[in-house]
Amino acid sequence: MSFLKTLVGWLTGKKAEEPADFTVVFKVTAHKLKMPIGMQSAPLTNSGEDETLDAFWSDEVESAKLKQKRFTELMAEALQKRDPENTYVCSDKFYITVTTKDGQNGSIFSENIWREVADCPGERKPKLRTTLAMGAMTKEYSLKENLDRIIPTSRGKDYIDYCTNQMEDKIFYEELTNDLYLSFVLDLPDLFLSVSKQDIDECGKSLVELKEIAKDNLRRCLPEAIDVYSRDRRLYVMAAGGNYEAYTIHLPECMQQIRTTLERDFAFAIPGRDLFLFCKADDGEALLALQEQAKLLFKNHSRPISPGLFVFEDGELKGIEISAN
C-alpha cells in the first residue's frame, strides 16, 4: 500500500500531477451555519502577494548551499529589518528569541518554515513573504474582536511541550487523548495565531460557547463538499483544500458521515495539519500500512501533529497501537 505516499504527495503539493489511479470515492459535508449578525471583524490583508517584502531578505537565502542554522539567522535579520522596534536574535538553529520594546519575551520556531523552503533554492523569497508576518505577532489581536476567526486545532504533545516551556504567553489546550490535544488559533491571512488562556478569560464567552463558535467558523472555512480519495477502498485520504484537514476531527457530523459510509468504525491518522488518513478499524493490513505511513509523514512534515493512530469509541477519542503479530 505504498501508493498512499504518492497520493499524499499530490494532495500536499509536492507532486504536480494527480495520480491517475486515485478517485473520489465519497464526499463529506460540514453543517455550515450563517455567521451571527455583528460578529464579522474588520478585513485583513494577506502579505503573500506583497513583492516589497522580498527586499527584507538577503540574497543568500536563495543559495543551494544554505543550511538550517544560517537560514534561521537570515530569518532573524529579515524580521529585524521589517520590525525594527522589537529585537529578533537567532538563539539556535531552531529558534529566534523575540524581545518587544516593552521588555516582553517570546520565540519563533523556524524549523517548520525551513522544511517548507529547503528544497527550492532560487525560489524561496516569494514563499517566505508570509513568514515576515511573524513580525506582526507582537501586535495585539483581541480574541473578543475576532471571534469570527477562531477555529479549533489539533495539536501533538511535542507542540504543547514547546509552547508550555518556551512561550511566555501560555496557549490554551485541552487533552483529547494521549499525544493529541485541542487548542484554538485565530485564522489570520498570514498565519495561525495561537489563543492563550488569558485571551479566553477576557473574550466574554464561556469555553463551551467558544468551542461551538470555533467549530462553526471551521465549517465555513471548508469546501462545500470535502473529497475523500482512495484507490482500493482500504486506505482513504481526505482533501479539504489544505490547512484544515486534521481539524475536521472536531466536527462530529464529518466523523459520523465517514462511519456511516464505511458502515463500521474507522481508525485515522493526522500526522500533519493538511493530512487526514483513515481506514476501516477491522482491516488489520490497512491499519499496519496506515500506522507506518503516519510515522513517516509525521517525521518529514513541515506542520507535524502526531505519528499515532486514533479511533472514536462510543464518542470518545482513543489512541491505538497496532502490532504486526
Side-chain angles (χ1 to χ4, degrees):
M1 296 187 183
S2 61
F3 67 84
L4 183 62
K5 185 176 181 180
T6 304
L7 178 58
V8 168
W10 171 66
L11 291 173
T12 56
K14 294 180 180 179
K15 295 183 181 295
E17 297 182 3
E18 179 177 358
D21 292 345
F22 302 99
T23 58
V24 176
V25 293
F26 66 92
K27 295 178 182 287
V28 174
T29 304
H31 296 166
K32 298 189 179 186
L33 301 174
K34 291 184 178 180
M35 186 177 297
I37 296 175
M39 206 173 81
Q40 179 72 51
S41 58
L44 298 174
T45 58
N46 189 316
S47 61
E49 302 301 321
D50 186 357
E51 296 181 3
T52 64
L53 293 173
D54 296 351
F56 291 103
W57 288 94
S58 163
D59 289 340
E60 186 183 350
V61 79
E62 298 289 11
S63 172
K65 297 181 179 180
L66 188 66
K67 302 298 183 182
Q68 184 172 351
K69 174 65 183 299
R70 182 55 181 157
F71 170 77
T72 304
E73 292 172 347
L74 294 175
M75 181 176 164
E77 292 174 8
L79 288 166
Q80 186 68 72
K81 290 177 183 177
R82 192 189 182 206
D83 183 28
E85 290 187 348
N86 301 305
T87 303
Y88 298 83
V89 177
C90 174
S91 50
D92 67 25
K93 74 175 185 177
F94 297 123
Y95 295 104
I96 295 171
T97 300
V98 185
T99 305
T100 66
K101 61 182 179 181
D102 56 359
Q104 295 185 13
N105 295 316
S107 60
I108 294 174
F109 187 50
S110 67
E111 183 176 18
N112 292 339
I113 300 165
W114 170 245
R115 287 182 180 182
E116 291 182 345
V117 301
D119 296 331
C120 53
E123 302 175 354
R124 290 179 181 137
K125 286 186 179 181
K127 296 178 181 294
L128 289 167
R129 288 170 190 162
T130 56
T131 297
L132 293 185
M134 290 189 176
M137 289 179 71
T138 54
K139 176 181 176 181
E140 290 294 331
Y141 284 98
S142 167
L143 172 58
K144 187 174 183 179
E145 296 176 0
N146 289 275
L147 286 171
D148 61 328
R149 293 193 171 99
I150 187 173
I151 61 172
T153 65
S154 306
R155 301 293 194 185
K157 187 176 185 301
D158 289 348
Y159 180 84
I160 295 299
D161 288 346
Y162 160 70
C163 292
T164 301
N165 297 325
Q166 300 290 333
M167 296 177 66
E168 188 171 290
D169 191 14
K170 304 303 182 184
I171 70 165
F172 167 84
Y173 64 89
E174 183 175 274
E175 185 174 9
L176 300 174
T177 188
N178 185 40
D179 195 34
L180 198 59
Y181 299 78
L182 162 74
S183 68
F184 298 112
V185 295
L186 293 182
D187 187 1
L188 304 175
D190 289 321
L191 72 159
F192 285 167
L193 188 62
S194 294
V195 172
S196 70
K197 298 174 183 177
Q198 183 177 348
D199 292 332
I200 293 176
D201 291 340
E202 296 175 353
C203 77
K205 300 290 183 181
S206 70
L207 181 57
V208 172
E209 291 175 311
L210 204 58
K211 286 180 178 179
E212 293 306 311
I213 291 171
K215 287 190 285 188
D216 284 342
N217 290 340
L218 176 59
R219 291 178 175 112
R220 284 188 284 270
C221 294
L222 297 172
E224 290 299 324
I226 303 169
D227 293 332
V228 175
Y229 284 81
S230 185
R231 187 179 73 172
D232 59 359
R233 292 184 179 269
R234 296 183 69 189
L235 286 174
Y236 301 83
V237 181
M238 179 187 291
N243 289 330
Y244 305 110
E245 280 80 354
Y247 305 161
T248 58
I249 69 167
H250 305 295
L251 303 180
E253 70 272 19
C254 291
M255 300 299 98
Q256 183 57 45
Q257 287 172 51
I258 293 174
R259 188 181 187 282
T260 299
T261 302
L262 298 182
E263 298 182 336
R264 66 198 71 192
D265 291 332
F266 64 94
F268 68 88
I270 47 174
R273 188 170 76 186
D274 53 1
L275 296 173
F276 184 98
L277 322 173
F278 61 96
C279 68
K280 296 173 182 177
D282 58 359
D283 186 339
E285 183 181 355
L287 284 168
L288 283 171
L290 182 60
Q291 181 171 262
E292 177 185 357
Q293 289 298 324
K295 291 177 179 178
L296 291 173
L297 291 165
F298 169 80
K299 182 179 179 181
N300 297 313
H301 203 280
S302 62
R303 295 288 186 270
I305 295 179
S306 171
L309 295 189
F310 305 93
V311 295
F312 284 101
E313 291 186 359
D314 299 323
E316 182 179 350
L317 186 62
K318 296 182 178 180
I320 60 173
E321 181 77 22
I322 306 301
S323 173
N325 297 327

